[in-house]
Amino acid sequence: MEKILKNRLNKENYEKLSAIDNPELRRFVAKYVELCNPDRVFVCTDSPDDIKYIREAAVRDGEESGLAIDGHTVHFDNYHDQARDREHTKILVPKGVALGPIKTIDREEGLREIHEILKDIMKGHEMYVRFFCLGPIGSEFSILCVQLTDSSFVAHNEDLLYRQAYEEFVRRGASTRFFKFVHSQGELDERKTSKNLDKRRVYIDLQGETVYSANTQYGGNSIGLKKLAMRLAINRASKEGWLCEHMLIMGVHGPRGRVTYFTGAFPSLCGKTSTAMLDGENIVGDDIAYLRKKGGEVRAVNVEKGIFGIIQGINSKDDPILWAALHSPGEIIFSNVLVTEKGGVHWIGKDGEVPARGFNHSGEWWIGKKDAAGKEIPCSHPNARFTLDMKLLGNLDPKLDDPKGVVVGGIVYGGRDSDTSVPVEESFDWVHGIITKGASLESERTAAVLGKEGARESNPMSNLDFLSIPIGRYIQDNLDFGKDLKNPPLIFGVNYFLKDKNTGRFLNEMADKKVWYKWMELRVHGEVGAVDRPTGRIPRYEDLKKLFKEVLGKKYSKGDYVKQFALRVPEHLAKIDRIMKIYRKIPGTPEIVFKVLEEQRQRLMDARERYGDYIAPDKFSASVG
Ligand code: SPV
Ligand code: MN
């Protein structure tokens, strides 16, 4: 093993690696240097020179190209490699283990297959060895990681997204336990995008806490510390009694200078980043949170320090802070957007006119260009993204790097739901919230996953794609987490996508969500009343009227309130049927899931008997406080 490292690393890089006294690390690097067979190995110490080397390598290798604004670059993924690949992402399991809808493969067979794919895969390429920390440095929440990749784009992305940890590895030496990631983009075509998509694989080995990813560049498949680490963390969390969630973390400003922290789970493309970026509030994170119980409270840290966000729809009016960052000098990687002749970028839903031509994920592009199936290609891919370090943002919360995390006052679940749930609703208690909001989360499918858009899918806690343990156990973990809390966070459901039954138009404007968060903030502190209904507690009209005025300077009519907050009984009953049907097929679903849903069904049927199918909010009596 030592011989491999000595032979294959030059003196400088050998010494950099040797500064870390960790035999497990040396074995790991040696094994994959030998197997993947790169031309060169670069060990990144996080020194300014090393970071610069990676940034420049991305342009030198052709994985990124410079743009007009200083620090901005653009990267393209293969036309057919634009999103997470559910089909070929599998958990390696011992013989006979099944995880229901979660894709698995026999561990030995999977290891054999992926090691065959990885053999000599880095020939002609450079391997980058990088050290990071998921969560703040020096925190009991955090997990150290090593990434091996031959993609400078991946190594560069991680630099913006995660806390550097070479020094931490040096300091901790042999006692370090860490997650391992091996990634190769594989052979590239002339556009420097992964070519062998038939051999695209993401295999997750829970036992070895290692993830292998090959023949893909798209961030959700390739950036080890993002969704790949999540599968490992969910497994570890389940064993250790904490939670790894697909959640944003934000600080909402309340009265008298108070800041209350919320976490929020939303499937991709359902307003998660824009919620985390809500104008006037603070962002802690937009994608992944680790939650632990401390002193009877729930605390959360952001696993990341940057954003790999969806760019579609970002405009100057709804996203002023991101808009400013995306138009200022600074290190930003755009992916799969439209690039104009002058080195500008454009995307679906950006202010201004769509340029007539340019260059995008399909190569040369012009308005009206069609794909092989005759479908018009939009200017940017709907899942086109940007990567930036949150230090570029004016609304970053000062507690981002607090090793103790932030105290969670409220947890929010939201999906894309055109016809059932109200814009905001509080659940009756932890168990009711976890079951009817979290475990019952559904969304109309979006472009973040390869496949058909629009179909309604169940997505427990918006975490389904990342689960590495049986769903039933995951739900039980969530239920158990609420036990013995002195001060359990309130659980809310939100829906930004509700439509008018008659006109089919959205019932809310994007900005309205600011009001929902202010209302939830007050609820956490018991400073505003609510209306109890069969499915949860909704705001009173008077309170919303006041908040709309204060927060948005807008008049909020009773008519709007009634339309938005009417209880749609048939849709709710249909949803309960759908959810029950799904959970009945999932072995190990906790019995209480059925009990709580059944009780909710009964409450809805009683209400329907008294008031009919569609029930105005004022039929139910408001409570005070
Ligand atoms: C998501 O789709 O939830 C993302 C981007 O955050 S990805 O890295 O693809 O998961
Ligand atoms: Mn995500």
Side-chain angles (χ1 to χ4, degrees):
M1 168 190 94
E2 253 339 280
K3 226 167 72 204
I4 299 168
L5 292 176
K6 268 216 173 94
N7 287 343
R8 304 295 302 261
L9 274 62
N10 68 17
K11 183 162 173 291
E12 192 187 344
N13 284 292
Y14 181 79
E15 277 167 11
K16 290 198 246 174
L17 190 68
S18 301
I20 301 169
D21 170 24
N22 189 302
E24 171 73 7
L25 171 71
R26 300 180 83 74
R27 256 196 307 277
F28 173 61
V29 177
K31 177 169 176 188
Y32 290 97
V33 167
E34 187 174 40
L35 181 74
C36 302
N37 198 12
D39 283 9
R40 293 174 311 268
V41 180
F42 181 80
V43 177
C44 181
T45 65
D46 307 330
S47 70
D49 277 353
D50 282 9
I51 297 296
K52 183 160 167 260
Y53 179 86
I54 287 187
R55 200 170 53 234
E56 290 177 355
V59 175
R60 196 168 53 236
D61 299 347
E63 278 193 80
E64 294 174 26
S65 323
L67 291 167
I69 298 180
D70 209 27
H72 292 197
T73 53
V74 62
H75 161 87
F76 292 107
D77 298 304
N78 186 304
Y79 190 72
H80 302 286
D81 188 31
Q82 296 281 323
R84 278 187 270 113
D85 181 1
R86 273 186 185 162
E87 182 71 25
H88 298 101
T89 299
K90 295 180 186 168
I91 312 282
L92 307 182
V93 291
K95 276 216 171 17
V97 172
L99 291 177
I102 303 163
K103 282 214 153 45
T104 57
I105 181 168
D106 173 71
R107 182 165 185 265
E108 267 162 43
E109 188 190 326
L111 285 175
R112 195 174 333 110
E113 184 191 357
I114 193 73
H115 282 79
E116 258 163 43
I117 291 177
L118 288 174
K119 185 155 175 34
D120 291 329
I121 198 169
M122 295 187 186
K123 232 173 161 168
H125 293 170
E126 180 161 18
M127 176 197 273
Y128 305 98
V129 183
R130 299 224 51 179
F131 304 90
F132 293 104
C133 182
L134 294 167
I137 298 278
S139 161
E140 76 165 295
F141 287 79
S142 297
I143 297 174
L144 291 176
C145 300
V146 176
Q147 170 87 57
L148 311 182
T149 178
D150 59 359
S151 164
S152 40
F153 164 71
V154 167
H156 183 198
N157 262 283
E158 289 181 334
D159 205 53
L160 304 183
L161 293 172
Y162 302 99
R163 287 130 173 139
Q164 301 168 343
Y166 175 80
E167 286 303 330
E168 190 66 4
F169 270 84
V170 173
R171 203 176 62 74
R172 292 220 216 157
S175 67
T176 315
R177 183 177 168 210
F178 52 93
F179 285 170
K180 306 178 190 79
F181 303 96
V182 183
H183 166 256
S184 173
Q185 55 195 349
E187 221 182 309
L188 301 179
D189 58 19
E190 63 293 343
R191 302 186 60 214
K192 303 290 178 193
T193 73
S194 294
K195 192 167 151 185
N196 300 324
L197 297 185
D198 57 323
K199 295 210 183 80
R200 177 171 54 196
R201 298 287 182 277
V202 178
Y203 281 3
I204 297 129
D205 180 23
L206 303 176
Q207 198 180 312
E209 295 198 314
T210 305
V211 184
Y212 306 92
S213 158
N215 295 305
T216 175
Q217 289 165 309
Y218 171 69
N221 300 322
S222 65
I223 300 172
L225 282 83
K226 203 169 190 53
K227 294 310 187 341
L228 315 191
M230 240 181 126
R231 276 86 165 201
L232 300 179
I234 287 171
N235 180 57
R236 201 192 265 190
S238 178
K239 292 191 173 125
E240 297 179 352
W242 49 278
L243 296 176
C244 168
E245 294 300 311
H246 191 203
M247 282 178 174
L248 63 86
I249 310 174
M250 68 192 290
V252 177
H253 295 262
R256 301 172 296 280
R258 177 173 75 203
V259 176
T260 306
Y261 291 94
F262 286 78
T263 62
F266 298 77
S268 317
L269 261 177
C270 293
K272 189 151 154 239
T273 302
S274 68
T275 301
M277 290 295 305
L278 212 56
D279 194 16
E281 315 298 2
N282 293 3
I283 185 168
V284 183
D286 88 318
D287 202 27
I288 307 166
Y290 291 168
L291 276 65
R292 282 179 182 261
K293 292 195 274 191
K294 284 279 146 211
E297 291 177 319
V298 173
R299 287 184 163 262
V301 300
N302 179 11
V303 165
E304 312 181 284
K305 67 158 173 98
I307 299 182
F308 175 61
I310 291 178
I311 203 159
Q312 177 183 182
I314 290 183
N315 65 73
S316 59
K317 179 169 156 272
D318 299 318
D319 315 278
I321 302 169
L322 276 177
W323 181 265
L326 295 175
H327 289 82
S328 310
E331 215 171 326
I332 299 179
I333 310 170
F334 293 87
S335 37
N336 307 313
V337 295
L338 179 74
V339 180
T340 63
E341 214 177 276
K342 294 200 175 112
V345 293
H346 202 86
W347 56 81
I348 303 171
K350 186 183 176 179
D351 304 29
E353 274 196 22
V354 180
R357 49 184 55 250
F359 204 80
N360 74 3
H361 57 295
S362 73
E364 205 181 316
W365 179 88
W366 55 92
I367 293 178
K369 181 177 179 185
K370 303 222 164 57
D371 66 11
K375 208 174 142 225
E376 193 163 328
I377 301 172
C379 67
S380 63
H381 191 276
N383 195 29
R385 300 216 169 220
F386 61 92
T387 309
L388 54 75
D389 186 316
M390 289 195 293
K391 68 176 190 247
L392 295 187
L393 304 176
N395 58 338
L396 181 56
D397 192 86
K399 292 204 172 147
L400 169 68
D401 288 318
D402 190 332
K404 296 195 297 299
V406 297
V407 175
V408 179
I411 296 178
V412 181
Y413 294 101
R416 192 172 280 264
D417 168 6
S418 55
D419 62 8
T420 308
S421 310
V422 293
V424 62
E425 181 174 63
E426 179 188 323
S427 36
F428 298 123
D429 54 36
W430 180 270
V431 171
H432 179 250
I434 290 295
I435 293 171
T436 68
K437 305 285 187 258
S440 301
L441 194 60
E442 289 182 308
S443 194
E444 288 148 27
R445 196 159 170 176
T446 68
V449 169
L450 299 173
K452 211 167 171 199
E453 283 182 48
R456 190 160 358 211
E457 293 187 325
S458 138
N459 192 344
M461 285 76 171
S462 97
N463 222 352
L464 182 64
D465 278 356
F466 315 112
L467 291 187
S468 51
I469 58 175
I471 299 178
R473 189 189 332 148
Y474 172 68
I475 288 172
Q476 189 65 55
D477 289 346
N478 266 268
L479 291 167
D480 291 347
F481 194 74
K483 288 180 186 156
D484 327 312
L485 287 171
K486 268 204 308 263
N487 203 3
L490 299 186
I491 299 182
F492 300 91
V494 296
N495 180 15
Y496 309 148
F497 302 94
L498 188 64
K499 290 182 175 168
D500 189 303
K501 267 186 79 64
N502 301 317
T503 65
R505 286 212 203 100
F506 284 118
L507 281 171
N508 290 101
E509 294 192 17
M510 298 251 219
D512 294 358
K513 60 165 102 62
K514 289 188 199 171
V515 171
W516 317 143
Y517 285 83
K518 292 296 193 201
W519 180 77
M520 289 188 268
E521 202 278 339
L522 294 171
R523 284 297 296 166
V524 168
H525 298 280
E527 291 180 9
V528 71
V531 182
D532 269 30
R533 301 199 310 181
T535 52
R537 304 188 164 123
I538 60 165
R540 301 179 299 198
Y541 170 63
E542 289 304 318
D543 299 321
L544 287 185
K545 188 176 160 196
K546 189 159 160 267
L547 284 171
F548 265 90
K549 185 94 208 136
E550 274 170 25
V551 179
L552 300 172
K554 222 165 101 171
K555 210 168 153 285
Y556 184 64
S557 75
K558 188 76 189 262
D560 283 346
Y561 174 71
V562 169
K563 271 194 204 147
Q564 293 164 13
F565 287 91
L567 180 62
R568 302 179 179 204
V569 178
E571 284 83 353
H572 268 289
L573 289 172
K575 173 170 172 162
I576 292 178
D577 284 346
R578 284 195 300 275
I579 301 294
M580 291 266 230
K581 199 166 152 208
I582 288 166
Y583 281 107
R584 263 192 224 106
K585 286 200 204 125
I586 295 175
T589 298
E591 260 320 297
I592 189 153
V593 169
F594 302 110
K595 180 169 171 278
V596 166
L597 289 172
E598 200 48 60
E599 286 167 0
Q600 181 133 315
R601 189 209 309 273
Q602 203 50 58
R603 285 193 299 272
L604 281 160
M605 297 210 297
D606 292 348
R608 181 170 65 180
E609 200 134 289
R610 287 184 66 184
Y611 306 115
D613 278 347
Y614 297 93
I615 311 176
D618 55 11
K619 286 280 185 283
F620 301 92
S621 56
S623 69
V624 192

